[in-house]
Amino acid sequence: IRQMEIKFPNRKEDIPDPTEEQVNYPRVELDREAFRSVLRRLKPRTTPGIGSMRNEYLTPLIYTEHSKASPRARQAFESLFQVCSKVVTVAMPDYFYTAWTATSLMALNKKDPKELEDGEHMDCRPVAMGNNLRKAVTKALLDPMAEAFRSRVEPTQYGCYIKGGGTQLISQVQ
């Protein structure tokens, strides 16, 4: 914990509350098919994150016109989409967003403890685990803008909507 406090000190100044203009600024809307597409592509067996929602809980909500899903099962996706749309358009109570944006911060060791030299202290890095549903909603909002992001940040930003960006970065550094 002490190492994390040293590496990541407290904020120097508080973030101000949004202005009335910012609060009333038009909001982007969640696209139903983009959201469906993101849910369809979720990877199984990933860490559930805060709230314990696993991707495996979300992917069964996707059905095709040929599936034998009951009308009630088909309604489950629609209900989830409506809730997520309210989240995106800031139609939920203020207190909801405190929980929605919460993360669980954990310190991961950079080395196996067996690899430490005598007297060497473990170095670690913080990893924030968020809510899997929030990640899916964010991805559904940003995916349609991926090409615009890429065109503005290439070639200097390797991790922004660039498949294999980390590997490309390592190759460039070597």
Side-chain angles (χ1 to χ4, degrees), residues 7-101:
K7 286 183 172 183
F8 304 97
N10 290 333
R11 189 179 304 279
K12 291 182 180 173
E13 57 185 69
D14 289 335
I15 297 173
D17 289 335
T19 64
E20 192 66 30
E21 181 184 14
Q22 290 168 325
V23 169
N24 295 320
Y25 196 81
R27 306 288 176 191
V28 67
E29 292 187 14
L30 186 61
D31 179 78
R32 181 178 276 100
E33 290 313 309
F35 185 54
R36 184 185 309 275
S37 174
V38 166
L39 292 185
R40 189 176 291 120
R41 295 184 321 236
L42 290 175
K43 294 178 182 173
R45 295 187 217 106
T46 60
T47 305
I50 198 164
S52 300
M53 179 170 290
R54 297 188 158 285
N55 288 343
E56 289 88 346
Y57 302 161
L58 297 170
T59 51
L61 298 177
I62 303 304
Y63 61 88
T64 66
E65 294 307 316
H66 305 293
S67 67
K68 295 180 182 175
S70 69
R72 192 167 172 201
R74 291 172 185 256
Q75 185 58 37
F77 170 80
E78 191 57 35
S79 296
L80 179 64
F81 175 76
Q82 293 304 322
V83 168
C84 291
S85 292
K86 285 184 177 184
V87 170
V88 168
T89 58
V90 195
M92 302 295 273
D94 289 345
Y95 62 81
F96 169 83
Y97 294 96
T98 300
W100 180 253
T101 58

Side-chain angles (χ1 to χ4, degrees), residues 98-153:
T98 300
W100 180 253
T101 58
T103 60
S104 174
L105 188 64
M106 63 186 327
L108 291 182
N109 293 338
K110 289 187 175 181
K111 287 184 173 181
D112 186 311
K114 297 172 193 166
E115 296 174 7
L116 291 175
E117 302 291 329
D118 287 338
E120 182 181 10
H121 294 285
M122 178 59 73
D123 193 13
C124 54
R125 64 183 175 92
V127 174
M129 293 184 350
N131 176 307
N132 285 2
L133 181 57
R134 185 187 75 225
K135 290 180 200 176
V137 169
T138 302
K139 189 159 181 53
L141 288 171
L142 296 178
D143 274 0
M145 297 177 258
E147 190 52 45
F149 289 147
R150 244 189 317 271
S151 69
R152 286 182 176 84
V153 300

